[in-house]
Amino acid sequence: MTWQDDASHDLLNLGGRLALLVRGEGSHVWDADGARYLDFLGGIAVNALGHAHPVFVEAVTKQAAVLAHVSNYFATPQQLELAARLKRLAGTGAGGHVFFANSGSEANETAIKLARLHAHKTGTKTIVSLNGAFHGRTMGSLSLTPKPAYQDPFRPLLPDVAHIDPTIEALERVFVDESVAALVVEPIQGEAGVVPLPDGYLRRARELTTAHGALLIVDEVQTGVGRTGEWFAFQREGIVPDAMSLAKGIAAGFPLGALVTFGDNDLFYPGTHNSTFGGNPLATAVGSAVLAEIEDTGLLSNVTDRGAQLRAAVDGLPLVTGTRGAGLLIGITLAAPVAAQVRDAAQRRGLIVNAPTADVIRIAPAYTIGDAEVDEFTILFSAALAEVAASNPTAAAASSVPVAAAAASDPKESK
């Protein structure tokens, strides 16, 4: 039997088994057959420090030997340290608070409960999210994720949830009275194809939510903890939200999520929410170590610089029509709906990327990448694009790079 047979026999049929990966180091992973891949997906924007980073390994090892879990009946120094660090980096002010969970979906479930508590307190009602959003797959977070393929099998979903287009005009139309309890937005919609909000959107959202007594909740699960070159993407707009959800890169591969509140917007009280594993000393020790490494070594500057370098590197490649996103969360737009073909061609050459939509390739590599990784990515990605362009001449016509020239650099032995 193969590993695919074992997976089919023993795991739920939810897809996503492109290879059997067994080891990682830096920006590379190896499969069970010994093939090496350049990982430019980073566990979907999770592995901020890459694989097996010494700081990550030391934090896990040291804390696991001391205290791993104590339940939510107790506080630990590791939990308090990480909460204080997050408040400082986010600029919550003295009134800010942190709740630790295990994932982005759980962090967003906490945000939904915060919105409901606010609704009960103020007499408001509706939670608003944006078309194209992805906030998770649990029943609450799924209710804020308006994608029929995800939602339809599980209806009925939460009541009093509305979805609007991600435009300032639609935002202004929804705030016609005092019925909105909370607006939940991603600064960049990763699953929609790395689509940033329009210029000025968050500033206008802050004005309207304040004027109408609603909460502004920013989902920074994918954009937070330095992914865009700022600690948190909302900081690029110069606004302060009422709460934000975090996960993914916060512990660089160890399961950890958080809801951070700003000012005096912590409406929870004992019994309204909790998590057995959330904020355990092992997870929070790793989170503190990861954030300290990012801060102490100036990795945010590297995120910005390497992001610009990668955008320049793909400009003019076959099929590429542009890029969008920020920092090291980049969507590469294609001239045709061939993203899945490009993803597969890239993997055959030893490059891991993904296709969130039919015409976009998403990359979210480690913050630690350098010239060597950028050069390797460019070679492998160029070859994958050239292969797909060769079989799609109409789409290839949109490229300024001759397909034959790009294909000549195909490094098929790099795996």
Side-chain angles (χ1 to χ4, degrees), residues 292-311:
E293 178 70 8
I294 295 171
E295 186 171 24
D296 295 346
T297 61
L299 281 178
L300 294 188
S301 295
N302 197 58
V303 168
T304 298
D305 294 344
R306 299 303 177 182
Q309 189 178 2
L310 284 164
R311 285 172 175 266

Side-chain angles (χ1 to χ4, degrees), residues 49-340:
L49 301 182
H51 299 277
H53 192 285
V55 167
F56 178 91
V57 173
E58 180 183 8
V60 172
T61 304
K62 182 178 178 180
Q63 188 60 44
V66 177
L67 187 68
H69 177 71
V70 295
S71 90
N72 52 34
Y73 288 120
F74 305 94
T76 66
Q78 295 76 24
Q79 184 184 71
L80 299 177
E81 178 186 354
L82 180 56
R85 185 184 293 273
L86 284 172
K87 287 179 59 178
R88 173 175 62 82
L89 295 175
T92 67
H97 291 85
V98 179
F99 172 79
F100 290 112
N102 306 287
S103 69
S105 289
E106 290 182 35
N108 282 328
E109 289 289 335
T110 312
I112 291 168
K113 282 190 171 182
L114 178 68
R116 286 284 193 250
L117 288 171
H118 180 74
H120 296 161
K121 175 183 176 182
T122 60
T124 53
K125 182 177 182 181
T126 307
I127 302 174
V128 177
S129 71
L130 305 185
N131 289 325
F134 181 87
H135 297 291
R137 296 179 187 269
T138 51
M139 289 299 291
S141 61
L142 180 63
S143 300
L144 271 61
T145 302
K147 188 171 182 178
Y150 293 169
Q151 289 187 335
D152 288 350
F154 304 105
R155 294 185 184 279
L157 301 171
L158 289 185
D160 301 324
V161 174
H163 310 295
I164 62 174
D165 288 335
T167 66
I168 293 177
E169 293 77 15
L171 180 67
E172 292 175 338
R173 285 195 298 270
V174 82
F175 280 99
V176 294
D177 55 30
E178 311 304 307
S179 64
V180 176
L183 172 68
V184 183
V185 297
E186 302 161 278
I188 300 175
Q189 294 183 333
E191 297 299 318
V194 192
V195 181
L197 292 175
D199 290 342
Y201 189 98
L202 282 180
R203 291 191 297 274
R204 187 62 177 139
R206 179 68 285 180
E207 293 169 355
L208 289 167
T209 51
T210 300
H212 291 272
L215 297 181
L216 175 59
I217 301 174
V218 181
D219 180 340
E220 295 254 13
V221 169
Q222 190 160 168
T223 56
V225 196
R227 174 57 59 182
T228 66
E230 304 282 349
W231 275 110
F232 307 102
F234 76 80
Q235 293 170 330
R236 304 170 71 90
E237 295 294 322
I239 62 103
V240 177
D242 297 303
M244 71 170 172
S245 53
L246 300 172
K248 290 191 180 288
I250 191 173
F254 202 97
L256 181 62
L259 182 76
V260 181
T261 64
F262 294 71
D264 297 317
N265 289 301
D266 177 11
L267 303 177
F268 290 98
Y269 53 88
T272 51
H273 195 54
N274 226 317
S275 169
T276 298
F277 289 101
N280 69 64
L282 182 53
T284 50
V286 177
S288 283
V290 168
L291 297 189
E293 178 70 8
I294 295 171
E295 186 171 24
D296 295 346
T297 61
L299 281 178
L300 294 188
S301 295
N302 197 58
V303 168
T304 298
D305 294 344
R306 299 303 177 182
Q309 189 178 2
L310 284 164
R311 285 172 175 266
V314 303
D315 183 38
L317 292 181
L319 297 176
V320 173
T321 60
T323 59
R324 60 193 182 210
L328 288 177
L329 179 59
I330 299 174
I332 302 170
T333 58
L334 305 177
V338 293

